[in-house]
Amino acid sequence: MRTILSSLAAAVIASFAATSAATAEPVEGVLEQGPVWSALFDVSGESGDLVGHAVRNQSAAGRAILSACVPGLWCKAAQASTRPMRDISPLAFAESPSGWLEITAARNVAMAAAVAGYDKTAKTRHGTLTIADDDTLLFKGRRVLPGVQANNSLAFVAHHELGKADVVLLQNTGGSACPATYRFITLTAGGITASPEFGTCSDLIYPTSDGQATITVAMPAFAGPDGGKATRRKVVFRYQAGQVTENGKPVR
């Protein structure tokens, strides 16, 4: 459970063959929206290089992607057709991938959680965290944080090393009314602490880290089990120096 792009590399596209024939495969990545073209950015499972999947906004594939996914979050087309994109002059994105494919068709499109797994054990430099059978949190085999009570279950979904601290993202899974909430669990030589619980209730998270001092967890706003327009808004939670903010405002 390291930096999310590297930990997901094994699960993304298998090859980037130079072929003129369209390919049918799942396509996923972080959505960036532009005025004419948008793109999904992912990492090649073979080379570890960044790969861009471009899509014209007004195409059928573009409309399917932009209607289902929020920019800045993880988007997946379960069935997609692609072809090599040789003329990339119309593209203007901040990212510079090693290669480009054009998405020509996209079906079964939805946002997805960009996590490496839902683990019951997290090995850190300061000791092992585990989730007990009764869904309580244990550190080095001892129960900690009695205030953390699972709704349905607990799981570790990300692990980052920031300097001398290990920070583990704990997901508290609920029901359809509120699928998930989160806490940052910080481990240092001095012990263990937990952040206040946070989240929009969405389980469609995209956690990233700068590897130095900051962890960001982006997720869509949650409009309840029936969905709604509120899900088109991205909410960003940021961890820094043990403090958590929501769109820049402290989480209490």
mmCIF file of all heavy atoms in Angstrom, residues 15 28 45 77 79 91 113 119 121 130 136 142 153 155 173 182 211 221 230:
data_model
loop_
_atom_site.group_PDB
_atom_site.id
_atom_site.type_symbol
_atom_site.label_atom_id
_atom_site.label_comp_id
_atom_site.label_asym_id
_atom_site.label_seq_id
_atom_site.Cartn_x
_atom_site.Cartn_y
_atom_site.Cartn_z
ATOM 1 N N SER A 15 0.200 -3.744 -22.022
ATOM 2 C CA SER A 15 1.201 -3.400 -23.020
ATOM 3 C C SER A 15 0.764 -2.177 -23.789
ATOM 4 O O SER A 15 -0.389 -1.784 -23.759
ATOM 5 C CB SER A 15 1.425 -4.565 -23.995
ATOM 6 O OG SER A 15 0.241 -4.808 -24.727
ATOM 7 N N GLU A 28 -8.652 2.669 -17.575
ATOM 8 C CA GLU A 28 -8.918 3.429 -16.357
ATOM 9 C C GLU A 28 -7.791 4.408 -16.088
ATOM 10 O O GLU A 28 -6.698 4.295 -16.627
ATOM 11 C CB GLU A 28 -9.101 2.491 -15.171
ATOM 12 C CG GLU A 28 -7.906 1.617 -14.860
ATOM 13 C CD GLU A 28 -8.202 0.615 -13.761
ATOM 14 O OE1 GLU A 28 -8.535 1.045 -12.646
ATOM 15 O OE2 GLU A 28 -8.095 -0.595 -14.024
ATOM 16 N N GLY A 45 1.772 -1.263 -16.574
ATOM 17 C CA GLY A 45 2.187 -2.337 -15.684
ATOM 18 C C GLY A 45 3.520 -2.938 -16.070
ATOM 19 O O GLY A 45 4.178 -3.567 -15.238
ATOM 20 N N ALA A 77 -13.563 2.634 -17.619
ATOM 21 C CA ALA A 77 -14.465 2.111 -18.643
ATOM 22 C C ALA A 77 -14.207 0.613 -18.720
ATOM 23 O O ALA A 77 -13.132 0.176 -19.123
ATOM 24 C CB ALA A 77 -14.194 2.768 -19.986
ATOM 25 N N GLN A 79 -15.362 -1.614 -20.641
ATOM 26 C CA GLN A 79 -15.187 -2.061 -22.017
ATOM 27 C C GLN A 79 -14.859 -0.846 -22.869
ATOM 28 O O GLN A 79 -15.676 0.069 -23.000
ATOM 29 C CB GLN A 79 -16.464 -2.735 -22.535
ATOM 30 C CG GLN A 79 -16.832 -4.015 -21.795
ATOM 31 C CD GLN A 79 -18.184 -4.538 -22.234
ATOM 32 O OE1 GLN A 79 -19.201 -3.877 -22.065
ATOM 33 N NE2 GLN A 79 -18.193 -5.722 -22.803
ATOM 34 N N LEU A 91 -3.591 18.136 -28.205
ATOM 35 C CA LEU A 91 -3.662 17.881 -26.770
ATOM 36 C C LEU A 91 -2.845 18.919 -26.009
ATOM 37 O O LEU A 91 -1.747 19.291 -26.418
ATOM 38 C CB LEU A 91 -3.144 16.478 -26.452
ATOM 39 C CG LEU A 91 -3.804 15.330 -27.221
ATOM 40 C CD1 LEU A 91 -3.207 14.008 -26.771
ATOM 41 C CD2 LEU A 91 -5.317 15.343 -27.032
ATOM 42 N N ALA A 113 -12.750 3.336 -6.868
ATOM 43 C CA ALA A 113 -11.781 3.624 -5.811
ATOM 44 C C ALA A 113 -10.387 3.252 -6.308
ATOM 45 O O ALA A 113 -10.191 2.188 -6.883
ATOM 46 C CB ALA A 113 -12.118 2.838 -4.555
ATOM 47 N N ASP A 119 -7.044 -4.208 3.285
ATOM 48 C CA ASP A 119 -6.246 -5.134 4.081
ATOM 49 C C ASP A 119 -6.634 -5.107 5.547
ATOM 50 O O ASP A 119 -7.083 -4.088 6.085
ATOM 51 C CB ASP A 119 -4.758 -4.812 3.943
ATOM 52 C CG ASP A 119 -4.268 -4.954 2.508
ATOM 53 O OD1 ASP A 119 -4.784 -5.844 1.807
ATOM 54 O OD2 ASP A 119 -3.382 -4.178 2.098
ATOM 55 N N THR A 121 -4.225 -6.128 7.734
ATOM 56 C CA THR A 121 -2.921 -5.981 8.379
ATOM 57 C C THR A 121 -2.119 -4.920 7.643
ATOM 58 O O THR A 121 -2.141 -4.876 6.408
ATOM 59 C CB THR A 121 -2.137 -7.307 8.364
ATOM 60 O OG1 THR A 121 -2.891 -8.302 9.047
ATOM 61 C CG2 THR A 121 -0.788 -7.151 9.052
ATOM 62 N N THR A 130 -3.305 -4.260 13.014
ATOM 63 C CA THR A 130 -4.214 -5.307 12.555
ATOM 64 C C THR A 130 -5.644 -4.950 12.918
ATOM 65 O O THR A 130 -5.900 -4.189 13.861
ATOM 66 C CB THR A 130 -3.866 -6.680 13.169
ATOM 67 O OG1 THR A 130 -3.825 -6.553 14.596
ATOM 68 C CG2 THR A 130 -2.523 -7.189 12.674
ATOM 69 N N THR A 136 -12.024 -4.275 15.752
ATOM 70 C CA THR A 136 -11.353 -3.251 16.541
ATOM 71 C C THR A 136 -9.914 -3.175 16.071
ATOM 72 O O THR A 136 -9.369 -4.111 15.477
ATOM 73 C CB THR A 136 -11.407 -3.570 18.044
ATOM 74 O OG1 THR A 136 -10.856 -4.880 18.271
ATOM 75 C CG2 THR A 136 -12.836 -3.510 18.559
ATOM 76 N N ARG A 142 -2.127 -5.226 20.652
ATOM 77 C CA ARG A 142 -2.909 -4.632 21.749
ATOM 78 C C ARG A 142 -3.976 -3.702 21.190
ATOM 79 O O ARG A 142 -3.739 -2.961 20.237
ATOM 80 C CB ARG A 142 -1.990 -3.859 22.703
ATOM 81 C CG ARG A 142 -0.990 -4.742 23.430
ATOM 82 C CD ARG A 142 -0.191 -3.921 24.422
ATOM 83 N NE ARG A 142 0.738 -4.756 25.194
ATOM 84 C CZ ARG A 142 1.516 -4.289 26.166
ATOM 85 N NH1 ARG A 142 1.490 -2.996 26.481
ATOM 86 N NH2 ARG A 142 2.312 -5.125 26.818
ATOM 87 N N SER A 153 -17.401 -2.774 8.998
ATOM 88 C CA SER A 153 -16.064 -3.365 9.035
ATOM 89 C C SER A 153 -15.016 -2.277 8.855
ATOM 90 O O SER A 153 -15.302 -1.178 8.362
ATOM 91 C CB SER A 153 -15.912 -4.419 7.927
ATOM 92 O OG SER A 153 -16.032 -3.828 6.655
ATOM 93 N N ALA A 155 -10.911 -1.491 7.416
ATOM 94 C CA ALA A 155 -9.873 -1.987 6.514
ATOM 95 C C ALA A 155 -8.840 -0.889 6.296
ATOM 96 O O ALA A 155 -9.149 0.306 6.346
ATOM 97 C CB ALA A 155 -10.458 -2.422 5.182
ATOM 98 N N THR A 173 -16.294 1.014 6.903
ATOM 99 C CA THR A 173 -17.355 0.736 5.934
ATOM 100 C C THR A 173 -18.717 0.726 6.607
ATOM 101 O O THR A 173 -18.898 0.114 7.656
ATOM 102 C CB THR A 173 -17.110 -0.614 5.248
ATOM 103 O OG1 THR A 173 -15.831 -0.587 4.621
ATOM 104 C CG2 THR A 173 -18.174 -0.897 4.206
ATOM 105 N N TYR A 182 -13.425 7.732 7.092
ATOM 106 C CA TYR A 182 -11.986 7.471 7.131
ATOM 107 C C TYR A 182 -11.328 8.137 8.332
ATOM 108 O O TYR A 182 -11.826 9.122 8.883
ATOM 109 C CB TYR A 182 -11.327 7.986 5.837
ATOM 110 C CG TYR A 182 -11.967 7.417 4.601
ATOM 111 C CD1 TYR A 182 -13.073 8.037 4.026
ATOM 112 C CD2 TYR A 182 -11.512 6.226 4.049
ATOM 113 C CE1 TYR A 182 -13.699 7.494 2.912
ATOM 114 C CE2 TYR A 182 -12.131 5.677 2.933
ATOM 115 C CZ TYR A 182 -13.224 6.315 2.375
ATOM 116 O OH TYR A 182 -13.848 5.768 1.290
ATOM 117 N N GLY A 211 5.061 12.213 -0.732
ATOM 118 C CA GLY A 211 6.189 11.452 -0.213
ATOM 119 C C GLY A 211 7.021 12.188 0.813
ATOM 120 O O GLY A 211 8.017 11.653 1.302
ATOM 121 N N ALA A 221 -18.448 14.286 -3.788
ATOM 122 C CA ALA A 221 -19.504 14.528 -2.815
ATOM 123 C C ALA A 221 -20.509 13.395 -2.934
ATOM 124 O O ALA A 221 -20.662 12.789 -3.992
ATOM 125 C CB ALA A 221 -20.174 15.869 -3.086
ATOM 126 N N ALA A 230 -24.952 16.238 -6.740
ATOM 127 C CA ALA A 230 -23.880 16.534 -5.787
ATOM 128 C C ALA A 230 -22.658 15.660 -6.023
ATOM 129 O O ALA A 230 -21.552 16.027 -5.681
ATOM 130 C CB ALA A 230 -24.383 16.345 -4.353
#
